[in-house]
Amino acid sequence: MGKVIAVSNQKGGVGKSTTVCNLAAVFGNRGSKVLIVDFDPQGNTTTSYGIMKKSIRNTIYDVILDDCSLFEAVVATAFKGVSVVPTTQDLAGASVELMNVKDRAKQLRNKLAEARNFYDYIFIDCPPTLDMLTINALVAADTVLIPLQCEFLSLEGLVELHNTISRVKSTWNDKLEIEGILFTMCVERYKITGQIINEVKRHFPKEIFKTTIPRNVALSEAPSFGQPAIYYDKKAKGSKAYEELAKEMIKREKKRSAEN
């Protein structure tokens, strides 16, 4: 059965969509079947995979509101092993519309149930908010991957998200775990980078990934060409970092399986 990973942080601009796009591409390139669910109304992941929003027939918005099945919204990409359920700005209204739906927090989980049998990994790109969309993503997920930019204000957001994860776990999804905390946009020569990493390690020593993602030109440029960074520039530091992150995640998963 496929693993569902929500990539979430209510603070915007932390590399959330970049992480989804590139991790999915790495796993797909390694032979896994991967589905990306673009659950952020901004649609950055949709655009980053070269999907033209004007040409989309069905989106995750249509899926959530029962206008089509999940598989009717899946778009194949030009990149090995990766498909996308795209989004548009229409999704922004779903939080309000879901308020009148029975089991509103479980809508996405129900829609992904069948897809788990087809895909090895399902990545959910969450919105930078703590609304009903994010709740749906966390309820649907097995684990949460938290991208964290190396700056002071990120720490406040991390505590709030951690509290939200605890509430979701106690109310709707008792199996939800933290996949890991990923430091993004790191510049090693900046003093603040080391300070933030040490502070987070002090509070969440077991959750932190050893791999960090550097601030990198290729990671910034690739979306404008509709490509993941490993296809845009495989030798770039950012591309190599996401390759290492995938390896670390696989290693962690094997360790969890052995312990259980």
Side-chain angles (χ1 to χ4, degrees):
M1 183 175 285
K3 182 176 184 178
V4 181
I5 302 172
V7 180
S8 182
N9 190 325
Q10 72 271 28
K11 190 176 185 302
V14 299
K16 181 174 51 63
S17 296
T18 298
T19 296
V20 170
C21 291
N22 289 290
L23 259 185
V26 171
F27 278 111
N29 198 43
R30 292 173 66 95
S32 296
K33 286 185 178 180
V34 183
L35 179 67
I36 295 173
V37 177
D38 193 349
F39 217 46
D40 183 348
Q42 296 177 81
N44 291 335
T45 298
T46 298
T47 302
S48 296
Y49 266 84
I51 299 170
M52 304 299 292
K53 292 180 182 178
K54 290 182 179 180
S55 67
I56 299 171
R57 288 188 62 189
N58 297 314
T59 70
I60 190 62
Y61 174 78
D62 301 302
V63 176
I64 288 295
L65 296 182
D66 289 323
D67 291 330
C68 71
S69 71
L70 181 81
F71 289 104
E72 287 176 307
V74 171
V75 175
T77 74
F79 309 101
K80 182 181 176 183
V82 182
S83 297
V84 177
V85 179
T87 197
T88 62
Q89 194 62 39
D90 290 343
L91 184 63
S95 280
V96 176
E97 295 178 63
L98 283 171
M99 296 308 293
N100 298 318
V101 176
K102 184 181 179 181
D103 291 332
R104 56 184 176 269
K106 299 178 181 179
Q107 288 300 298
L108 184 59
R109 182 166 76 180
N110 294 339
K111 304 303 181 184
L112 293 181
E114 189 177 350
R116 281 177 174 270
N117 297 320
F118 189 78
Y119 295 98
D120 300 305
Y121 293 95
I122 300 174
F123 288 97
I124 306 173
D125 187 3
C126 300
T129 54
L130 288 179
D131 59 9
M132 186 50 64
L133 291 179
T134 297
I135 297 298
N136 260 263
L138 296 179
V139 172
D142 298 309
T143 62
V144 189
L145 193 160
I146 307 171
L148 191 71
Q149 189 176 356
C150 290
E151 62 173 41
F152 177 74
L153 292 177
S154 298
L155 296 177
E156 278 190 4
L158 177 59
V159 173
E160 290 177 18
L161 179 58
H162 204 274
N163 290 338
T164 299
I165 291 170
S166 297
R167 288 198 297 271
V168 169
K169 188 170 182 176
S170 63
T171 308
W172 294 291
N173 184 2
D174 60 358
K175 295 181 180 178
L176 183 64
E177 300 292 342
I178 294 179
E179 181 73 28
I181 297 170
L182 175 68
F183 292 108
T184 61
M185 304 179 194
C186 294
V187 181
E188 290 185 6
R189 69 178 183 275
Y190 290 175
K191 186 177 180 180
I192 188 67
T193 297
Q195 291 175 337
I196 295 299
I197 290 175
N198 289 334
E199 184 66 17
V200 176
K201 277 183 178 178
R202 193 162 65 86
H203 294 284
F204 306 100
K206 295 181 180 179
E207 286 95 338
I208 293 173
F209 284 113
K210 293 179 181 177
T211 306
T212 60
I213 308 301
R215 191 176 291 276
N216 182 249
V217 173
L219 293 178
S220 300
E221 291 181 348
S224 64
F225 290 89
Q227 298 179 1
I230 66 163
Y231 288 91
Y232 176 71
D233 184 355
K234 188 174 180 64
K235 295 181 179 179
K237 287 184 178 180
S239 301
K240 291 179 179 179
Y242 278 109
E243 293 271 9
E244 288 303 312
L245 176 61
K247 292 177 184 177
E248 186 175 352
M249 288 173 66
I250 291 169
K251 187 176 180 181
R252 281 191 177 194
E253 190 61 35
K254 287 180 178 178
K255 184 178 180 180
R256 286 194 199 104
S257 298
E259 290 174 348
N260 295 331

